[in-house]
Amino acid sequence: MKRKLSWLILIFAFSLFFLYGGPAGAQQKPIVIGGSLPLTGVWAETAKVIQRGYEFWVEETNAKGGLLGRPVKLVIYDDEGKPDSAVKLAEKAITVDKVDLLLGGYPGTAARPVMPVAEKYKMVYVSMGGHMASFTQGYTYSFGAPPLMGEWWFLGAFQWLETFPADQRPKRAAVYIMNNPVGTALLSSIDEYTKKLGIQVIINEKYNLPLPSAEPLVMKAKQMNCDLFISGGVFPDGVMTVKAAKALKYNPKAYFQGVGSAIPAWTKELGEDGNAIVSGTSYHEKLNNPSNKMLIKRVKEKLNMDSVDTYFGFSVAWLQTLFAGVEGTKGLDQTKIRDWLRKNKVETVAGTFTFDAKGLPAPFTYTTQVVDGKIELIYPADIRSHKGIYPKPAWK
Amino acid sequence: MKELSQTGKKNRPALFAGIGVVALLALFPLVAPAPYFLSMLYMVFLYVVLAESWNIIGGFAGYLSFGHVAFFGLGAYTTAFLMNKLALSPVATILSSIPGGFVAALVAFVIGYPCLRLRGPYFAVVTMCFAFVVHMVMQNIDLFGGVEGLWLPAMKQPIHVIRGIFYELMLALMILVILFVRWMEGSKLGKGLVTIREDEEVAQTLGIHTPRIKALAFVLSAFFPGVAGGLHAYYLTYISPENVFDVMVSILIVLMTLFGGGGSWLGALIGAVSLSLVNEFLTTFVGAEIARIIYGMLFIGVILFMPNGIMEFFRRRRRVRLAAEEVSES
Amino acid sequence: MGGIYALLGVGFSLTWGVMRVINIAHAGFGVLAAYIAYSLLEKTGLDPLLSLLISLPSFFFGGMILHRGLIRPITKARETIVASMVLTFGLAIVVENVMLWIWKADPRVLKPSYSGTAVFIGEVGLPIAQLVGFGLAAVGILLLYLFLNHTHTGKAVQATWQEKEGAALMGINLQKVSEIAFGLAIAAAGMGGVAMAMMYTFDPPVHNFWLIYMFLVVIVGGVGSILGTALAGLILGVITGLCMAFIPYQWINVLTFGLLIVVLLVRPQGLFKTGV
């Protein structure tokens, strides 16, 4: 009995020692930026993209002389997609590794509890956020640059529909939304714009992930003659639904997809069936602002990649914003950076941002559509790469 | 059954060591460590509370509840809901975790009687289903925040004070639960539960009113996680159905307890502490997938060599050693 | 859809019933099979069904080796069921992360030549890929059933499960039988995985979802009963379909699991199990 307890104490002390002398101790010269991402678990795929984006941008920055003349060092922990771990690891980065800057996390369910932590520790937190609800809690240190704002997601898509004469627009909508915060965030813009455009919402349902089968959803939409089909889900159910729509020969005039249609895997898995699907995004590789053009060029040169994934662009934009604050205040004082970001415009690959009191830029969205297997921007007019296909051609 | 007496009498040195450890832990925040350590230990304490409470019904009674996270989540939601609706002060919010525990206990009482009639794996599955149902119902009810979840305004104190407070609270809860389980182990209730686990029919013939004490065990095992959940809600300041009803937590507490050795207060403690700490090391030092693989292999390895959990393994060795000593002395 | 879960479930049911081993990694092996089929399809254009000819035997033998190495030692435990859960939990984590490491995390879809087409019966369309998946499930379950009931080894497996000591007395080699049963179960998992992949996208962690429905189907059908599992799968499919027609989708899972709870409380042995 006594032996076992002393073992316990030894192990405990040993472990504290190890953790305290952890690998990423703050050093004098480099600027350390740290945080966590879900490198394993259900969110791993996008997390890896974000990681690559972060690494790339840090390398680029270092190649140009670093931040404030100092090299930047990246520390990323694996939070396995668990919000508890994300909180704990953010604290670790801040209090043990004593990072100079905090890294934005993923997905929104992890970002949400980290935002109050950043607030308490007074560290600027630039990330995708957790949709509108997370930005209305009064956290002053959090910024979405760009945010993943479900509430803005379909704004552009509907505005694009508006550009067509009223008699050509769809009249009846079938709305299927996944039952999670991302999905429910989509509803506000759908409500607003269907009213504005005089589109009747015939079906409005939420479904739980994973979706058991998409045929009933599509069947119902077909039977009710809905010519606008909104599939507010993610990749797996999105693919299922498209397949079902094709199999059941359901041809709406417009087909909106929540998330998932703006990645290469969409075309890879669906081929030409994935065409003409409309979606939204806060970043796209085809954006022609100078910052993004430079990024695409550099990515091609350095990584030999022909295309840049949405989240890659996001992660670069987040770092750009944070670094702009650092350079702008010529220092690492988080409160000064926060105030600077409020007062200044920041140029990123996702656009130029001016932040409001909530830490958000003005509502914006870029509307995408898959054309011939490639993702094109179709709205707004000043940034689009393609006019957009309407109505959606029938399945082949 | 004789092993139970081991934990009793002649263990003065152990007792002092135990008190020493507790004192060290309690005073730890005073050395102003990086709040991360407070948070990390808080999580370890949390898992100990969950594992030990689960032990009451799972380890002692042998009824493996795979839905225990539901009680945790219900406690969390109780506190979050009360705080929002009644605009409670920080102290009141912390205290509201106690009603959280009662809510969990009540639910356990209600579902306990029908579910505890089931044996073995069926009980496991029905509890897991029950946890799912609670999870999905909470997701769909907008009054409780729906899928969005609930936000709790954070305390106004500086962060290291807040972390220190939660650290001490969870430490206190953990000590409480450990002492309770320890007491229970030697009590009539505990012995009754063990008898049920060994052979339920025999227990009944011995006059033990099995439905009643099973239900009691279940209710008790639900109360503490409910309180812990209430505290945790305030700690995170944001809860959502996804993160407080996570089925992996249910599975993890089962495994932690069995890993360390069910049916003993020390076993659950060892299991929870060791697995939490190991997980922490791995994520700190090793690349992500490799860490997970090593974590998985740990389970495999330990079970291959110590099929009944760590405690049982050491107990057996101790028994063998004692027996050998006896033989050599005679 | 239910049929596919049934196929995935029968192997699980088998290991549970015969060996008192709850194999939490079962669905994980299914996903592994799906990945193998995917890679073979991509690299060589081999139809997933044909790829089964390669993967099934390897899964069978792999399963037997696993049994010898990992499962046999833990049968000495006081509570094999408990020990098996801990062990296979670890195994599931290992399998998932190995897959993550090799194939990365992005979701995949099996796209044989006939995906995206459907057969129409009046207004109702039945996607061909799903029919194939269902067909696969039906074949797999039938094969397993025939094996258990009409072959010598199969009957030995049944005997071992129902009456261990008796079977040993009859000269049946318990170890060998368990090994074979386990190998079969893993092979069935592989088949089930491919069937699932016909219908759904998959990525390394998806086995967690499959696991839950698998549990459901096995419990409702009765542990160890192949037929029971199959029927339970069909029932699950039918109920889900009915639900989708009548109630808001967000409540479907509540209903499905609620019904499971009711079944468990009323008839825990499952709806179709007789005897053990």
Side-chain angles (χ1 to χ4, degrees):
Chain A
M1 212 49 195
K2 181 171 71 170
R3 253 199 324 156
K4 268 170 253 176
L5 265 173
S6 34
W7 265 107
L8 259 171
I9 299 176
L10 254 167
I11 295 177
F12 181 72
F14 197 59
S15 46
L16 271 182
F17 169 74
F18 250 97
L19 282 170
Y20 203 74
Q27 291 149 13
Q28 268 309 83
K29 285 224 73 190
I31 294 184
V32 184
I33 173 165
S36 74
L37 285 174
L39 298 173
T40 59
V42 292
W43 306 105
E45 180 211 351
T46 312
K48 292 276 169 72
V49 173
I50 299 179
Q51 184 185 28
R52 242 179 295 139
Y54 279 156
E55 283 167 357
F56 176 77
W57 195 248
V58 165
E59 279 165 15
E60 284 287 293
T61 309
N62 284 340
K64 292 196 217 119
L67 205 53
L68 300 177
R70 292 160 64 181
V72 180
K73 189 166 120 129
L74 199 56
V75 173
I76 305 182
Y77 292 116
D78 175 19
D79 59 40
E80 298 167 61
K82 297 194 201 143
D84 289 342
S85 298
V87 166
K88 196 177 49 170
L89 291 166
E91 275 191 313
K92 181 172 188 181
I94 298 173
T95 61
V96 174
D97 305 307
K98 300 223 192 330
V99 296
D100 302 293
L101 299 167
L102 192 56
L103 211 53
Y106 175 80
T109 44
R112 279 180 163 189
V114 173
M115 283 162 78
V117 172
E119 193 71 15
K120 273 293 176 186
Y121 284 106
K122 297 200 179 17
M123 299 275 302
V124 171
Y125 187 63
V126 181
S127 74
M128 59 186 271
H131 306 285
M132 193 54 84
S134 63
F135 286 101
T136 52
Q137 299 294 322
Y139 302 132
T140 60
Y141 282 86
S142 291
F143 292 88
L148 188 81
M149 204 49 95
E151 285 83 358
W152 302 345
W153 207 244
F154 286 135
L155 287 178
F158 281 110
Q159 286 165 359
W160 171 72
L161 279 183
E162 228 176 346
T163 64
F164 296 102
D167 55 334
Q168 284 181 20
R169 293 184 213 142
K171 304 271 182 307
R172 298 158 67 84
V175 179
Y176 290 109
I177 303 284
M178 57 182 168
N179 198 14
N180 61 35
V182 183
T184 49
L186 297 170
L187 284 172
S188 67
S189 62
I190 296 178
D191 278 338
E192 190 191 334
Y193 271 86
T194 48
K195 284 201 190 68
K196 200 162 166 223
L197 295 177
I199 302 177
Q200 226 189 335
V201 178
I202 310 288
I203 304 173
N204 189 350
E205 289 246 27
K206 295 198 205 115
Y207 59 86
N208 289 317
L209 294 176
L211 182 64
S213 68
E215 280 75 22
L217 279 67
V218 173
M219 212 57 215
K220 208 152 122 178
K222 185 176 179 189
Q223 281 166 345
M224 312 278 272
N225 290 318
C226 295
D227 46 5
L228 170 61
F229 189 77
I230 301 186
S231 173
V234 285
F235 186 84
D237 42 303
V239 166
M240 266 175 73
T241 313
V242 169
K243 283 179 154 190
K246 174 174 178 183
L248 296 176
K249 298 204 195 345
Y250 169 59
N251 288 305
K253 284 198 190 139
Y255 188 124
F256 290 179
Q257 169 67 24
V259 177
S261 66
I263 57 174
W266 182 263
T267 305
K268 189 160 175 247
E269 302 301 346
L270 290 174
E272 58 178 13
D273 296 333
N275 284 338
I277 309 287
V278 173
S279 184
T281 182
S282 314
Y283 166 79
H284 193 268
E285 53 178 348
K286 287 212 165 70
L287 289 171
N288 55 10
N289 61 66
S291 190
N292 194 40
K293 289 215 270 234
M294 179 267 311
L295 176 71
I296 302 296
K297 188 159 93 77
R298 285 296 299 147
V299 165
K300 183 87 213 281
E301 285 168 13
K302 192 155 175 245
L303 300 177
N304 202 15
M305 272 168 36
D306 275 321
S307 70
V308 168
D309 183 278
T310 311
Y311 277 94
F312 191 97
F314 274 12
S315 56
V316 169
W318 299 333
L319 283 186
Q320 282 178 314
T321 309
L322 199 51
F323 289 179
V326 172
E327 295 280 3
T329 58
K330 304 233 183 307
L332 294 165
D333 181 314
Q334 301 289 310
T335 311
K336 288 215 189 102
I337 295 179
R338 174 194 72 171
D339 294 334
W340 186 94
L341 284 173
R342 286 276 154 68
K343 296 202 201 74
N344 291 278
K345 280 203 286 203
V346 178
E347 259 194 52
T348 71
V349 295
T352 307
F353 297 136
T354 319
F355 298 105
D356 61 12
K358 294 202 284 283
L360 292 172
F364 74 98
T365 185
Y366 304 121
T367 307
T368 64
Q369 192 177 35
V370 185
V371 179
D372 281 331
K374 293 226 258 303
I375 299 145
E376 305 277 354
L377 290 169
I378 61 173
Y379 188 88
D382 56 334
I383 55 104
R384 71 178 180 200
S385 58
H386 192 276
K387 226 167 40 132
I389 304 174
Y390 181 83
K392 182 181 172 316
W395 309 102
K396 297 219 186 55
Chain B
M1 292 319 105
K2 263 190 296 185
E3 297 88 63
L4 286 174
S5 61
Q6 270 179 352
T7 62
K9 310 138 200 190
K10 40 183 175 136
N11 276 306
R12 278 315 194 78
L15 186 60
F16 283 132
I19 295 185
V21 170
V22 171
L24 275 176
L25 288 174
L27 296 173
F28 184 51
L30 293 178
V31 303
Y36 161 70
F37 289 109
L38 296 179
S39 295
M40 190 200 78
L41 288 172
Y42 164 90
M43 291 300 290
V44 174
F45 297 161
L46 176 62
Y47 271 101
V48 173
V49 168
L50 294 176
E52 287 283 6
S53 317
W54 184 88
N55 208 1
I56 297 176
I57 187 75
F60 283 95
Y63 276 77
L64 309 175
S65 156
F66 268 85
H68 238 66
V69 76
F71 301 122
F72 177 74
L74 284 170
Y77 264 93
T78 309
T79 297
F81 185 68
L82 287 177
M83 190 201 195
N84 276 318
K85 277 289 183 273
L86 303 177
L88 298 175
S89 71
V91 174
T93 311
I94 292 177
L95 289 176
S96 72
S97 60
I98 301 185
F102 282 115
V103 167
L106 184 66
V107 172
F109 181 73
V110 167
I111 68 159
Y113 268 104
C115 292
L116 286 163
R117 285 190 291 134
L118 299 172
R119 301 294 174 85
Y122 300 110
F123 179 74
V125 174
V126 82
T127 49
M128 180 153 60
C129 286
F130 160 70
F132 278 139
V133 170
V134 170
H135 170 89
M136 287 180 286
V137 165
M138 293 307 276
Q139 252 189 334
N140 289 331
I141 298 185
D142 287 323
L143 183 63
F144 294 120
V147 279
E148 290 276 324
L150 293 173
W151 300 86
L152 292 88
M155 288 196 263
K156 300 272 184 283
Q157 278 76 7
I159 186 74
H160 55 272
V161 172
I162 297 181
R163 291 303 188 233
I165 294 176
F166 279 102
Y167 173 92
E168 300 288 358
L169 284 172
M170 198 52 82
L171 175 63
L173 187 62
M174 178 181 89
I175 306 284
L176 186 66
V177 177
I178 292 180
L179 288 177
F180 178 79
V181 175
R182 192 154 183 275
W183 165 80
M184 197 196 76
E185 201 169 309
S187 75
K188 251 183 21 177
L189 174 64
K191 297 209 171 90
L193 290 173
V194 174
T195 319
I196 290 181
R197 181 185 77 207
E198 298 285 318
D199 199 320
E200 186 147 353
E201 274 83 27
V202 169
Q204 283 174 324
T205 59
L206 287 177
I208 300 177
H209 195 261
T210 49
R212 195 152 18 113
I213 70 169
K214 279 192 293 189
L216 181 60
F218 197 47
V219 166
L220 286 170
S221 77
F223 177 74
F224 297 108
V227 177
L231 288 175
H232 196 64
Y234 202 15
Y235 168 86
L236 278 183
T237 71
Y238 168 69
I239 61 170
S240 73
E242 233 177 74
N243 62 5
V244 297
F245 287 116
D246 186 0
V247 68
M248 285 311 286
V249 172
S250 284
I251 297 180
L252 204 57
I253 41 187
V254 174
L255 291 173
M256 278 179 172
T257 314
L258 296 176
F259 183 82
S264 114
W265 68 273
L266 193 55
L269 178 63
I270 292 178
V273 170
S274 55
L275 285 177
S276 299
L277 289 177
V278 163
N279 203 14
E280 199 58 34
F281 285 150
L282 289 175
T283 45
T284 310
F285 287 98
V286 188
E289 289 96 351
I290 314 283
R292 302 276 89 227
I293 293 180
I294 296 180
Y295 187 70
M297 304 208 82
L298 180 66
F299 280 98
I300 298 179
V302 168
I303 279 298
L304 280 181
F305 293 111
M306 304 187 232
N308 285 314
I310 298 181
M311 273 300 294
E312 186 67 24
F313 182 71
F314 282 112
R315 260 192 205 153
R316 226 179 251 181
R317 289 210 356 205
R318 187 199 165 93
R319 251 183 289 164
V320 168
R321 185 168 60 86
L322 285 175
E325 279 171 15
E326 262 174 62
V327 168
S328 60
E329 273 164 25
S330 58
Chain C
M1 165 215 140
I4 297 180
Y5 277 115
L7 176 60
L8 200 58
V10 286
F12 184 72
S13 196
L14 196 60
T15 50
W16 187 341
V18 175
M19 283 162 273
R20 301 251 166 284
V21 166
I22 295 187
N23 185 0
I24 294 185
H26 192 89
F29 287 112
V31 180
L32 184 61
Y35 269 111
I36 293 177
Y38 182 91
S39 295
L40 284 174
L41 180 63
E42 230 192 342
K43 303 255 165 71
T44 67
L46 189 62
D47 185 274
L49 293 182
L50 294 176
S51 77
L52 279 176
L53 290 175
I54 304 177
S55 44
L56 280 185
S58 17
F59 270 61
F60 179 71
F61 287 113
M64 282 180 50
I65 297 175
L66 266 179
H67 184 267
R68 210 177 267 201
L70 296 179
I71 311 289
R72 210 167 359 149
I74 65 169
T75 49
K76 290 181 285 179
R78 179 168 25 128
E79 295 234 14
T80 317
I81 275 193
V82 162
S84 70
M85 283 197 293
V86 177
L87 184 122
T88 55
F89 177 76
L91 188 59
I93 295 183
V94 172
V95 170
E96 174 182 333
N97 282 285
V98 165
M99 290 193 295
L100 187 61
W101 196 34
I102 299 181
W103 279 285
K104 305 290 174 263
D106 50 294
R108 312 289 176 103
V109 172
L110 267 188
K111 236 187 0 154
S113 50
Y114 38 81
S115 75
T117 54
V119 136
F120 276 89
I121 304 180
E123 266 289 305
V124 181
L126 298 168
I128 295 204
Q130 290 192 24
L131 289 176
V132 171
F134 182 73
L136 190 61
V139 166
I141 295 177
L142 192 65
L143 283 178
L144 206 56
Y145 180 77
L146 288 176
F147 172 78
L148 281 179
N149 286 309
H150 295 281
T151 67
H152 190 61
T153 342
K155 294 204 193 145
V157 169
Q158 286 215 38
T160 317
W161 156 39
Q162 273 159 11
E163 194 50 67
K164 251 200 179 122
E165 279 85 22
L169 283 175
M170 296 277 286
I172 295 179
N173 184 339
L174 290 179
Q175 289 300 351
K176 204 84 192 303
V177 164
S178 296
E179 256 175 45
I180 293 180
F182 195 75
L184 264 182
I186 301 291
M191 214 174 174
V194 173
M196 288 291 288
M198 293 284 199
M199 267 192 75
Y200 300 114
T201 53
F202 59 94
D203 54 3
V206 82
H207 70 100
N208 290 305
F209 292 127
W210 294 2
L211 193 70
I212 296 168
Y213 284 102
M214 206 173 65
F215 254 105
L216 208 149
V217 161
V218 165
I219 297 283
V220 170
V223 177
S225 159
I226 308 287
L227 223 44
T229 311
L231 283 169
L234 284 173
I235 293 181
L236 174 67
V238 167
I239 290 188
T240 311
L242 283 176
C243 284
M244 290 189 104
F246 293 115
I247 64 170
Y249 299 146
Q250 56 189 111
W251 291 98
I252 291 182
N253 286 356
V254 175
L255 209 83
T256 329
F257 285 104
L259 282 176
L260 178 61
I261 293 181
V262 167
V263 167
L264 276 171
L265 290 179
V266 163
R267 220 189 127 86
Q269 327 85 290
L271 297 176
F272 304 105
K273 199 163 152 190
T274 47
V276 191

